[in-house]
Amino acid sequence: EAGVVQSPRYKIIEKKQPVAFWCNPISGHNTLYWYLQNLGQGPELLIRYENEEAVDDSQLPKDRFSAERLKGVDSTLKIQPAELGDSAVYLCASSTTPSGRASEQFFGPGTRLTVL
Amino acid sequence: DAKTTQPNSMESNEEEPVHLPCNHSTISGTDYIHWYRQLPSQGPEYVIHGLTSNVNNRMASLAIAEDRKSSTLILHRATLRDAAVYYCILSGAGSYQLTFGKGTKLSVIP
């Protein structure tokens, strides 16, 4: 079974440029998560989707970050414009619909973003 | 969700057992204990979870103290591939969020 796929794996951009990350979750997983991971820290949740609905986006900086999950499968996370402090690893994860407790989450390899 | 406390780092010799501790003194009765690990340059991966009883799976064992204020992840025979950051996470019943701390960086010495 294929795991969570993310692309690109690495991205280097100049500050103020836009950037987008793509995620394809495990087939049949209705829940999709985007996390941000700074160096030496654990992942921090940015947004969680149930199918195509963003059910928790309270940690997403909405002035420059946006996300979408059309048709409830693939998802895209965008930053516009990027700032130096956005340099980090962006992780996508998916799971079956949680029921009673946090479901096992399956993570992709992440996209390492460097903003110059 | 309640907080967890883990050592920043630990070392183990290859092929020896490893006991990774986690303190969660403010755990509530409905909080689940989850363990994930993150190998270098990879996303985190699920290891094990439990509520009250000790749990075993093919990767590890989870020993939960009787008062649930601490738990221990046990790797029975450490291999070089087990070198990773291990995260202990509490998640309340009905809470679908995993809040990661800094975890414990495990080094395995050949």
Side-chain angles (χ1 to χ4, degrees), chain B residues 54-84:
Chain B
N54 295 344
V55 185
N56 300 297
N57 66 20
R58 64 174 181 82
M59 288 181 71
S61 295
L62 176 59
I64 302 173
E66 202 168 322
D67 63 3
R68 300 186 74 234
K69 294 185 176 182
S70 65
S71 61
T72 302
L73 180 70
I74 302 166
L75 307 179
H76 296 287
R77 281 183 77 223
T79 69
L80 296 179
R81 196 192 174 277
D82 292 321

Side-chain angles (χ1 to χ4, degrees), chain A residues 4 6 35 43 91-94 105-109, chain B residues 36 43-45 98 100:
Chain A
V4 175
Q6 290 189 247
Y35 288 85
L91 294 160
C92 179
S94 70
Q105 294 183 22
F106 295 81
F107 285 79
Chain B
Y36 280 72
E45 65 174 345
L98 297 176
F100 290 79

